[in-house]
Amino acid sequence: KIKAIILAGGSGERFWPLSNSKTPKQFLKIFSNKSLIRETYERLVLKLDPKDIFVITAEKHFDLTKKELPELPEENIILEPIPRNTAPACTLATLVADKNEVVFILPADHYIPDVENFWKTIFKAVNAAKEYDGLFTLGIKPTRPETGYGYIESKNEVEENIFKVKAFREKPNVETAIDFIKKGNFYWNSGMFIWKKDVFFEEMEKYNSNIIKKLKDVDPRNIEKLRKIMPEVEKISIDYALMEKSKKVYTIKSNFSWSDVGNWLSVRELKGYSDENENVKVVEGKNIYVSSKKFVGVIGLSNIVVVETDNGILVANEEKVQKVREIVSELKEKG
Ligand code: GDD
Ligand code: MG
């Protein structure tokens, strides 16, 4: 028996014009007619009872969360009055577990098509978390020097595909990432964590006693109390706060396909180009990705992303899609 906790408090700016601050990435329908958080929930409910699935999200996204997950008991939605990043969110959410229970924390916004392999790996991690009293990560074989991920340096193999971790490095620069990949014993951190409640609290106590002091006796459903406390809680991700520091980190080598779907380029990578789509015509160009209900014609351009929604139209060089943030901040200024 475990508790699964979906982290769903991020803000999404990289998917404009599909997203805006009212609908961050986890609430977007990127790959199907279901939102990413809905897909995450459906993946979990294959093996878990809804009463053991929790979501921690922003107070302002309560209605959206309820609408996406109507089967989830309402008291399983934990609300944060203000975002404090993932270390406080993991701490608050872990409070719902029993002392020795294993907790599985996962992002709301990942693409994981291979459910069977995903669950095999999770069960392996759950058993290992009980046996080794460690903080378990899932290590993904890196395919490019991505700087938006954490890197896990593996040490000795304690059991088949279960490694002790030598070091955890969150979001290195590109030179360091290239170096890591060359070495061969480095993995991407998938952003999913498995640990026993008491092991997690002991490790947090060691390295983040301030966060623990403020949160350990709170009822995570007492929003009034959280309104008072949260502004004083440090804003830091679990990767920096705990994973880089703890000496009890392990990783399970994982081979299910996985993507954080960070921006339009990763969507294009997963879906492929649209040059041959029925609603697209490309003249003297190639490698166009189109997301639009309208007919789109492209002339003399290559490696372009075109996204059209009711919010606006994006036309971008695919290598520069990260800069969509600059458009979003401009829009914010204009209100
Ligand atoms: N409840 C809550 N509150 N959730 C949050 C908050 C918060 O303040 N901030 C972020 N989240 C949620 C996001 O919605 C997402 O589902 C998850 O926590 C991870 O946050 P991201 O902001 O997406 O993290 P990241 O992608 O930059 O980095 C993490 O994931 C990578 C893999 O995708 C790290 O763990 C990296 O090491 C890892 O490689
Ligand atoms: Mg992410």
Side-chain angles (χ1 to χ4, degrees):
K1 208 180 134 289
I2 62 166
K3 291 212 161 67
I5 295 163
I6 303 176
L7 298 171
S11 63
E13 305 198 318
R14 289 169 287 183
F15 286 95
W16 185 86
L18 196 56
S19 60
N20 53 45
S21 65
K22 285 188 206 93
T23 51
K25 181 179 149 205
Q26 58 271 24
F27 298 110
L28 301 178
K29 297 170 180 161
I30 295 182
F31 294 100
S32 65
N33 55 358
K34 292 173 188 165
S35 64
L36 290 171
I37 192 172
R38 177 82 212 160
E39 304 238 24
T40 303
Y41 175 81
E42 290 190 1
R43 215 177 294 130
L44 292 177
V45 91
L46 286 175
K47 305 280 180 192
L48 300 177
D49 197 304
K51 75 172 183 355
D52 293 321
I53 302 175
F54 294 77
V55 174
I56 180 156
T57 188
E59 189 179 4
K60 64 176 177 190
H61 290 135
F62 179 59
D63 290 337
L64 210 48
T65 306
K66 256 198 330 193
K67 191 173 141 241
E68 288 300 310
L69 312 175
E71 313 93 319
L72 191 72
E74 207 171 290
E75 65 271 19
N76 286 21
I77 305 177
I78 297 166
L79 298 173
E80 296 163 298
I82 51 165
R84 279 311 195 214
N85 213 323
T86 52
C90 290
T91 308
L92 263 185
T94 300
L95 287 168
V96 302
D98 302 327
K99 188 176 178 302
N100 267 311
E101 206 173 4
V102 173
V103 177
F104 169 31
I105 298 188
L106 70 163
D109 54 2
H110 288 176
Y111 175 72
I112 301 170
D114 182 0
V115 188
E116 205 172 306
N117 246 318
F118 163 78
W119 269 112
K120 255 191 215 155
T121 314
I122 299 305
F123 284 135
K124 192 178 174 97
V126 169
N127 289 328
K130 284 184 198 155
E131 194 179 332
Y132 296 97
D133 279 353
L135 306 176
F136 279 77
T137 57
L138 306 185
I140 310 274
K141 202 176 157 42
T143 52
R144 57 172 193 280
E146 170 67 55
T147 55
Y149 293 159
Y151 285 73
I152 293 166
E153 180 178 7
S154 66
K155 210 159 62 173
N156 54 310
E157 192 168 17
V158 296
E159 235 178 79
E160 199 188 359
N161 292 331
I162 306 182
F163 294 83
K164 191 84 211 293
V165 169
K166 186 166 173 208
F168 184 107
R169 278 286 296 282
E170 179 65 1
K171 301 193 171 77
N173 63 27
V174 72
E175 292 79 23
T176 312
I178 291 172
D179 220 46
F180 284 171
I181 290 181
K182 270 196 211 134
K183 288 197 176 125
N185 62 329
F186 281 76
Y187 297 92
W188 280 338
N189 171 36
S190 75
M192 291 178 251
F193 304 103
I194 298 101
W195 45 54
K196 285 203 298 203
K197 177 184 180 178
D198 49 0
V199 175
F200 170 71
F201 272 87
E202 277 163 30
E203 289 299 281
M204 281 296 284
E205 181 82 57
K206 264 188 226 162
Y207 304 106
N208 299 276
S209 58
N210 281 329
I211 296 179
I212 291 299
K213 218 181 283 158
K214 297 220 164 72
L215 296 179
K216 75 171 193 288
D217 297 318
V218 190
D219 169 2
R221 297 184 184 93
N222 186 344
I223 189 91
E224 290 302 328
K225 186 82 202 260
L226 289 180
R227 268 196 203 109
K228 286 196 197 101
I229 298 176
M230 289 297 267
E232 295 163 16
V233 175
E234 188 184 356
K235 189 172 190 175
I236 183 169
S237 87
I238 193 70
D239 319 283
Y240 290 115
L242 186 63
M243 305 317 286
E244 282 197 341
K245 299 198 172 108
S246 171
K247 297 180 178 64
K248 292 194 173 172
V249 183
Y250 290 78
T251 199
I252 312 265
K253 196 174 145 194
S254 313
N255 2 344
F256 55 85
S257 42
W258 167 91
S259 169
D260 173 70
V261 224
N263 55 42
W264 285 114
L265 180 58
S266 41
V267 175
R268 192 279 288 157
E269 274 164 3
L270 294 165
K271 284 194 176 178
Y273 289 113
S274 325
D275 298 28
E276 307 297 326
N277 288 12
E278 251 168 42
N279 69 328
V280 177
K281 174 75 184 164
V282 184
V283 177
E284 288 179 33
K286 63 174 181 348
N287 300 349
I288 309 296
Y289 175 77
V290 174
S291 172
S292 171
K293 292 201 174 81
K294 294 191 176 145
F295 190 92
V296 174
V298 176
I299 306 173
L301 294 172
S302 294
N303 302 92
I304 298 290
V305 168
V306 182
V307 183
E308 180 262 347
T309 73
D310 290 342
N311 294 328
I313 301 172
L314 171 73
V315 180
N317 179 324
E318 66 167 34
E319 276 171 12
K320 301 206 169 154
V321 289
Q322 316 86 292
K323 300 211 168 192
V324 75
R325 282 208 170 106
E326 292 176 28
I327 295 173
V328 177
S329 51
E330 175 84 20
L331 285 170
K332 269 191 193 150
E333 274 165 31
K334 293 194 171 134

